[in-house]
Amino acid sequence: MRRSMPLLIILGILVLLLFWGCGQYNGLVTSDESVKKSWNYVQSQYQRRADLIPNLVNTVKGEANFERGTLNDVINARARATSMQVSPENLTPENIQKFQAAQTQLSGALSRLLVTVEQYPNLRANDAFRNLQTQLEGTENRIATARNDFNDQVQLYNTQVRKFPVNMFASMSGFHPREGFTADPGSQNAPHVDFGNGTTTTPAPQVGLDTTR
């Protein structure tokens, strides 16, 4: 009996480690799935914005002498943004940065379009155009919420992955830290377009969300 005690203790420790490992693995899977789910929501909100743009462009085209270059910038930026799709299984830092860059270009093109519209009273009084502005404003708010939620999920996941001793187990199991959205370059002084009335303001400095904590 005495000789078997060390063996039983070792077996008991192994069983405890096995249960601990299973619990940690399942927790990492749950956290990883939350990141993927929030990413899908981010993409769906950006897609909703992209779907509104053709109607916006067609409405603006109806105004005589509207700046063709401004419209082309929006059309081309939309094409680049919609072609840059990232699957939840391929959320590498490089892909996140490319996706964000394409969407930032589209945001800039839309802002310039709405600033230009201020020179066309007929457009500003057009009910269809004003309705599209309202929808775009709501979509921009949902995009901001989706991005923040994604960053929150990434931060929770990264915290779990990097904690000792889980970090050693996570690395062996294929779980690695992810990257979230950061503040767009120059966002601290870039003009912001109010979709509700087409005016521009200069926002206060913004700080990028840190997903490494």
Side-chain angles (χ1 to χ4, degrees), residues 46-47 49-54 57 70-86 98-99 101-107 109-110:
Y46 275 118
Q47 184 60 51
R49 180 176 72 170
D51 291 342
L52 290 172
I53 291 175
V57 170
T70 303
L71 279 176
N72 287 338
D73 287 345
V74 172
I75 294 170
N76 293 334
R78 179 187 182 275
R80 287 190 293 269
T82 54
S83 67
M84 186 60 206
Q85 298 294 317
V86 182
K98 290 178 182 178
F99 180 88
Q103 296 298 339
T104 299
Q105 288 179 353
L106 179 53
S107 295
L110 277 172

Side-chain angles (χ1 to χ4, degrees), residues 53-120:
I53 291 175
N55 288 335
L56 179 70
V57 170
N58 288 332
T59 302
V60 172
K61 278 182 178 179
E63 179 66 30
N65 301 321
F66 192 86
E67 298 178 16
R68 176 64 57 180
T70 303
L71 279 176
N72 287 338
D73 287 345
V74 172
I75 294 170
N76 293 334
R78 179 187 182 275
R80 287 190 293 269
T82 54
S83 67
M84 186 60 206
Q85 298 294 317
V86 182
S87 70
E89 290 74 25
N90 200 24
L91 289 175
T92 64
E94 295 78 15
N95 285 338
I96 291 288
Q97 291 170 8
K98 290 178 182 178
F99 180 88
Q100 181 172 355
Q103 296 298 339
T104 299
Q105 288 179 353
L106 179 53
S107 295
L110 277 172
S111 295
R112 290 188 293 274
L113 172 66
L114 293 175
V115 169
T116 304
V117 165
E118 283 297 290
Q119 304 172 25
Y120 298 86

